[in-house]
Amino acid sequence: MTKPAPARATLATLALTCGIACAAAAATQAVPLTAARWQTVGKAEFVPTEGFPDGLLKLGDATADLKGLSFGDGTIEYDAKLLNAGFASFRFRTQGPDSAELFYLRDDGNCPAADDCIQYVPMIHGVWPWEMYPEYQTHAAITVGAWNHVKLVISGRRMNVFINGAVEPTLAVGRLEAAPLHGGLQFSGPAEFANLTVSPGITHSLPPQPDKDPTDADPNLVRRWAVATTTSPLAYGAAPSLAQMPADPAAWASLPTERHGLVNLSRRFGSPIDPSTGSLAWLKTSIQSDRDRSVHVSVGVLHEAWIYANGKPVFAAENLYYPEAKRLAPDGRISLRNAAFDLPLHKGRNEVAVALDNILAVGHLHYGWGIEMRLDDLDGPDPAAGLTLRPG
């Protein structure tokens, strides 16, 4: 079913090449889906057709970048039709090939019930770390092979997504995770797109500040880490040795954690050194204890982790999306539900070291790497008594 567009002004009045300041003052404008406005790579077709006054864009395994517009905050709307069990993807705030925000519709054969039917993911240093942000996906009333209307309200570090006329957000993104606050727009397929409008500066009172992290008040999360400033290659199936951990204090730096206590190594190191293998990173923290004890620890990992306490191995885990048999719950994503172990501590200072790699099965892309750790026993009768967390 074709979806006719309402009468709107043309993009000529927007004067795309005048930049951000001009765009911010403009009203809602229709963006023509014509070859003159878009730079394409791959199989792309611009179709003038009845019912679509601004044209229709058909993409195979291809991309189309809008020329001349840098978008920051505002509202973006478009219609998308999923084709061939694929993705109807839209990037915004793109800064070159390695940094952008991405929203997409996914045909997994079970829409609208599937909890990954729509998804947001940042692009960070060329990596799509979608395994690290499971909270940014949900089910939606998507119809495969028919037109679906998408409305994105973007303000600072937040975004609300409305699908097919929903009154309440279908997906609320509490923090946009990529670095840029402005940049280009891009479609990618296989999909068809129509009726694109851009409303710079119209944010419908959505605050620009990121939503509050619900774990801010959780004292049990390990948030103080040091990271070795360089990584090394690690072959698929290999294991590291603690002797590989850098000994020079100058080789280490403090590493802030993100929401939920996430250590996001993709943000620091990007893609693997060698795409055919992976990268190995070293982390450490210290725990001061007033007595000998054992502490129960929950841990989330991407993708393989080896954990040492005071120079001795105490735990190892792998969470690989492929092959499926190696996915930890929930569904191969990073979560404190991935695994748990008992951490032995002695009286005084205890060094906890972690070797962490970002390997997936050979031939698959890398979707981020990191770790989360929580000392669960501190919820007991003497929470935090006698324990102090410090950077490594």
Side-chain angles (χ1 to χ4, degrees), residues 15-224:
L16 288 176
T17 56
C18 73
I20 301 171
C22 175
T28 299
Q29 303 292 333
V31 180
L33 294 173
T34 59
R37 296 291 187 187
W38 297 81
Q39 179 67 46
T40 61
V41 177
K43 185 179 179 180
E45 184 180 5
F46 296 93
V47 183
T49 185
E50 184 179 355
F52 296 93
D54 300 306
L56 178 67
L57 172 60
K58 294 184 177 182
L59 291 177
D61 186 12
T63 61
D65 290 89
L66 181 60
K67 299 176 183 178
L69 174 65
S70 185
F71 174 87
D73 295 342
T75 298
I76 296 173
E77 299 189 52
Y78 60 92
D79 294 322
K81 181 190 293 185
L82 284 159
L83 303 174
N84 302 326
F87 296 77
S89 303
F90 179 72
R91 293 192 200 185
F92 60 96
R93 294 178 175 173
T94 62
Q95 294 278 352
D98 293 336
S99 184
E101 310 280 17
L102 173 70
F103 172 77
Y104 56 87
L105 315 182
R106 180 210 303 267
D107 173 17
D108 70 353
N110 194 29
C111 281
D115 64 2
D116 59 356
C117 196
I118 65 172
Q119 188 167 359
Y120 154 75
V121 64
M123 187 178 206
I124 300 171
H125 299 311
V127 176
W128 295 115
W130 57 270
E131 294 176 339
M132 306 186 77
Y133 300 107
E135 66 270 33
Y136 297 144
Q137 64 180 48
T138 191
H139 54 85
I142 296 297
T143 302
V144 176
W147 287 107
N148 299 278
H149 187 70
V150 178
K151 178 181 178 180
L152 309 177
V153 179
I154 300 156
S155 177
R157 287 297 176 193
R158 295 177 69 176
M159 176 174 71
N160 283 342
V161 179
F162 302 82
I163 299 295
N164 288 332
V167 176
E168 297 297 323
T170 311
L171 175 66
V173 177
R175 182 181 177 86
L176 293 169
E177 301 286 355
L181 287 174
H182 64 86
L185 306 181
Q186 182 194 84
F187 284 126
S188 62
E192 294 181 1
F193 299 96
N195 299 327
L196 173 64
T197 64
V198 179
S199 305
I202 300 178
T203 58
H204 302 280
S205 301
L206 180 65
Q209 298 83 11
D211 198 10
K212 180 178 175 59
D213 179 358
T215 69
D216 274 346
D218 187 347
N220 300 28
L221 285 169
V222 180
R223 302 182 193 270
R224 297 173 175 267

Side-chain angles (χ1 to χ4, degrees), residues 299-312:
V299 64
V301 300
L302 288 176
H303 289 97
E304 294 180 293
W306 296 264
I307 299 176
Y308 308 82
N310 300 314
K312 297 180 180 179

Side-chain angles (χ1 to χ4, degrees), residues 282-302:
W282 288 93
L283 300 163
K284 61 182 178 178
T285 189
S286 66
I287 303 175
Q288 190 78 19
S289 180
D290 65 344
R291 62 187 185 273
D292 293 346
R293 62 168 74 185
S294 179
V295 177
H296 191 262
V297 175
S298 295
V299 64
V301 300
L302 288 176

